[in-house]
């Protein structure tokens, strides 16, 4: 339900013989009455001058990705419509009251056809089904990219540890602490991760505008989202480096020197 930001709503007192009135939305107020008070002003609607009695909040009439257009709302008693939408607030299962609602409508006018009865949640879900599917695909690709990143970091560090096996063995033989060698390997992973995250953030800032149409309530360059993604990638890289780091300190230094 839209909230009123000024004036009043349409009431039963706005009958066919009363003063013609309308309620406009915030988009109409901003577009046609910028810097002026719209309440009390008159607009022509269906060829009849009508007084604006209220300003209501915007609705997403054409989906989440579309900007809210200016809109006017008139009493049905003054501007009859062949079709309409009936919203019923319930406290339980909405479909359990479908029969009672049909009976109430039939009692008012047996000629009225009631169709498309469904919970509001289903209506909203259907309106954003494409966006949800696209988001699901992007999430799956992002998860796949994260897994591939972890595999890549693990493979690279395993190769580095194997190449530096003799060096690590010498360090251990000379009394280096295993913790220091673990820190050496993890530090190498952290440097790689920081470079990758920096490049990723730069790419997100450059190409984020392409995803603007898929976002609602969040900017394409939202700092919190970028920070969460960066922390997640750093965590994945560090976790992937644990196995190679452990391998660097669990071998026998003498065997490492002989193998080289």
């Amino acid at each position: 339900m839209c909230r009123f930001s000024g004036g009043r709503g349409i009431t039963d007192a706005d009958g066919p013989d009363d003063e013609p009135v309308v309620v406009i939305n915030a988009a109409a107020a901003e577009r046609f009455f910028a810097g002026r008070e719209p309440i009390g002003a008159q607009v022509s609607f269906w060829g009849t001058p009508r007084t604006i009695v209220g300003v209501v909040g915007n609705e997403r009439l054409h989906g989440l990705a579309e900007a809210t257009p200016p809109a006017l709302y008139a009493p049905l008693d003054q501007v009859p419509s062949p079709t309409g939408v009936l919203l019923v607030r319930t406290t339980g299962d909405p479909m359990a009251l479908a029969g009672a609602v049909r009976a109430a409508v039939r009692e008012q006018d047996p000629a009225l056809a009631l169709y498309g009865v469904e919970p509001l949640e289903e209506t909203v879900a259907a309106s954003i089904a494409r966006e949800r599917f696209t988001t699901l695909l992007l999430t799956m690709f992002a998860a796949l990219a994260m897994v591939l990143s972890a595999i890549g970091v693990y493979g690279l560090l395993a190769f580095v540890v194997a190449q530096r096996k003799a060096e690590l063995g010498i360090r251990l033989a000379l009394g280096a602490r295993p913790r220091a060698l673990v820190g050496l390997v993890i530090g190498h992973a952290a440097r790689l991760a920081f470079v990758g995250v920096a490049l990723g953030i730069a790419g997100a800032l450059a190409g984020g505008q392409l995803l603007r149409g898929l976002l609602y309530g969040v900017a394409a360059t939202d700092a919190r989202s970028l920070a969460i993604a960066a922390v997640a990638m750093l965590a994945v890289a560090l976790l992937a480096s644990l196995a190679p780091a452990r391998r660097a300190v669990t071998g026998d230094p003498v065997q490492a020197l002989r193998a080289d």
Side-chain angles (χ1 to χ4, degrees), residues 15 50 167:
R50 300 180 182 276
E167 175 193 344

Side-chain angles (χ1 to χ4, degrees), residues 92-181:
D93 180 12
M95 298 308 297
L97 296 178
V101 172
R102 292 181 185 275
V105 172
R106 192 179 304 111
E107 182 179 350
Q108 293 294 321
D109 188 347
L112 286 178
L114 189 63
Y115 61 92
V117 179
E118 63 181 6
L120 184 59
E121 289 80 3
E122 293 185 7
T123 305
V124 174
S127 69
I128 59 175
R130 184 177 64 178
E131 288 79 3
R132 281 185 170 176
F133 179 72
T134 304
T135 302
L136 177 61
L137 286 181
L138 292 176
T139 302
M140 293 174 61
F141 283 126
L144 178 61
M146 187 168 291
V147 172
L148 293 177
S149 299
I151 295 174
V153 170
Y154 171 81
L156 177 60
L157 292 180
F159 176 76
V160 170
V161 169
Q163 291 294 106
R164 301 177 63 179
K165 192 173 183 180
E167 175 193 344
L168 297 175
I170 293 175
R171 288 175 180 266
L172 286 174
L174 294 178
R177 294 183 178 181
R179 181 180 301 178
L181 297 185

Side-chain angles (χ1 to χ4, degrees), residues 4 6-11 14 21 23 53-54:
F4 283 89
R8 65 173 179 86
I10 295 172
T11 67
D14 299 316
V21 297
V23 171
V53 296

Side-chain angles (χ1 to χ4, degrees), residues 17 33 46 64 86 122 127 133 159 169 177 191 197 225 241:
D17 299 326
F33 298 94
W46 279 36
L64 298 178
L86 177 64
E122 293 185 7
S127 69
F133 179 72
F159 176 76
R177 294 183 178 181
R191 288 191 294 272
V197 167
S225 300
S241 68

Side-chain angles (χ1 to χ4, degrees), residues 17 21-22 24 39 55 65 79 120 141 153 158 166-167 176 210 226 245 252:
D17 299 326
V21 297
V22 292
I24 64 174
I39 306 298
V55 178
V79 185
L120 184 59
F141 283 126
V153 170
E167 175 193 344
L210 299 176
L226 293 177
D252 186 356

